[in-house]
Each structure stands twice: as C-alpha cells, then as structure tokens.
C-alpha cells in the first residue's frame, strides 16, 4: 500500500510540474515580448544575437527567431545529502547545466535557474528565449540545476522515495544545494569572482 501511494504521489507531482512549466513558458514569452519593445540598452562587452563571435565554449549562436540554445552536456556535482548534519558525509550526484556563450571575460554574473518539481529540462533553455535574452544583455553565465529527488538527481537511487529517505526532500536542503552549486561554479569557471553576483529565477515552485 505504501509503495502504491508513493507511485501515485510521484505521478501527481510530475503531472503538476509539467502543467506549471507550460504556464511558466507562456508567461516568460509574454514578458519577453514586452521587454523587446523597450529601448535596447547598449552593452559594448556583450555579443549580440545576430552577430559577434562567441567567447564561451558553447560555440553555437543563439537563433533569435527560433529561440534555440545549443545542446548542453550535463554536469554532475557531488552534493551533500544532509547540509545540516556535519557528521553525515554522504553525497549524491546532482545534475546541472552551464551555458557560457554570452559570459563576459571578467566579473560575469550568474543567472541561476532553480530546478523545480520535475527533471531538469535543457528544452526549457532552448525554448525560453528570455533566458538567452537577459544573459546577452548582462553578459552573464547561465546555470541550471536539477532539483534533488527528481530526474537523475536521486540521493538514494530507486530507494529515494522510501519512508526513511524521503526526509531529505526539503526546501532547506534544496536551497543549500543551489548555494553549493553556485559556489562550485564560481570556483571552477574562468572570469567569475568568489563574491560575484548571482540572480536566481525559476518557474512554478522553483
């Protein structure tokens, strides 16, 4: 009975997450159309959508009309299972993506997408042109992290949703996950400062 309830709960979460993501994309595209109508700020150090070479490793150009972003390879970070128990040394592999085509050479900010109640979706970055739009304007590095307990970021594999293991699915743990990934990206990405700016955004619960 417990397994059946767990499966039903997971299915409901996935359906709810999918609906919320659809709403988030619609809202984001509407906001982009409004922003595009505003006078465009001059950003001498940032490349444009239609021209200028890419300084990042992604290499491909963003298509302004199709709203596409190149395929991104997932990265994995050794994340703490419990951020609030120093005696617990367990870790799991948390998936995240980095898009650096518009990153300024020095002092770039991070636009951090907080994964919500679904597997991380590179398609969100591919179809939501506003992400690339603001990355270009700000000369920012885009980072998207998958929420713990979803997709491939399962702390205990297939046993992650058991009665004993589900306790680590908490907002406090998730926020600590994202903070740890930002610190890691700052430390391992050229041109970023340890105390550089980071702007977190998301849709639905994220």
């Amino acid at each position: 009975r417990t397994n059946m309830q767990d499966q039903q709960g997971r299915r409901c979460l996935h359906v709810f997450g999918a609906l919320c993501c659809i709403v988030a994309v619609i809202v984001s595209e509407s906001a982009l159309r409004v922003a595009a109508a505003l006078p465009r700020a001059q950003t001498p150090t940032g490349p444009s959508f239609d021209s200028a070479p890419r300084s990042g490793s992604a290499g491909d150009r963003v298509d302004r009309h199709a709203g596409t972003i190149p395929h991104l390879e997932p990265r994995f970070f050794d994340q703490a299972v419990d951020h609030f128990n120093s005696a617990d040394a367990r870790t799991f592999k948390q998936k995240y993506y980095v898009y650096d085509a518009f990153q300024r050479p020095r002092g770039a900010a991070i636009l951090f997408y907080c994964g919500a109640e679904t597997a991380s979706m590179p398609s969100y970055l591919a179809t939501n042109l506003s992400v690339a739009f603001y990355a270009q304007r700000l000369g920012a590095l885009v980072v998207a992290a998958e929420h713990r307990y979803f997709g491939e970021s399962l702390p205990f594999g297939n046993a992650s949703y058991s009665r004993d293991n589900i306790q680590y699915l908490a907002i406090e743990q998730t926020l600590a996950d994202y903070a740890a990934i930002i610190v890691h990206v700052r430390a391992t990405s050229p041109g970023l400062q340890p105390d550089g700016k980071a702007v977190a955004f998301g849709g639905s619960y994220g």
Side-chain angles (χ1 to χ4, degrees), residues 88-193:
D88 190 342
R90 293 175 298 176
T91 62
F92 69 98
K93 298 291 184 181
Q94 186 166 20
K95 186 166 68 175
Y96 70 101
Y97 295 89
V98 173
Y99 181 65
D100 61 358
F102 296 115
Q103 180 185 347
R104 296 180 188 275
R106 288 179 173 272
I110 294 176
L111 293 182
F112 187 87
Y113 173 67
C114 302
E117 67 285 358
T118 184
S120 69
M121 296 179 296
S123 59
Y124 176 85
L125 298 179
T127 59
N128 193 323
L129 181 56
S130 59
V131 176
F133 181 84
Y134 288 111
Q136 182 267 327
R137 285 202 166 191
L138 298 172
L141 177 71
V142 178
V143 180
E146 185 171 72
H147 197 297
R148 60 165 54 204
Y149 284 80
F150 291 93
E152 297 181 56
S153 302
L154 300 175
F156 304 99
N158 293 333
S160 295
Y161 288 89
S162 70
R163 184 184 300 274
D164 292 333
N165 294 335
I166 197 67
Q167 63 179 306
Y168 301 104
L169 176 55
I171 292 175
E172 294 82 3
Q173 299 284 1
T174 301
L175 292 176
D177 287 346
Y178 296 158
I181 290 177
I182 290 174
V183 170
H184 170 72
V185 170
R186 282 175 175 162
T188 56
S189 299
L192 297 186
Q193 302 298 323

Side-chain angles (χ1 to χ4, degrees), residues 20-37:
C20 290
C21 287
I22 293 172
V23 173
V25 169
I26 295 173
V27 172
S28 298
E29 293 303 324
S30 299
L32 174 61
R33 286 193 289 270
V34 173

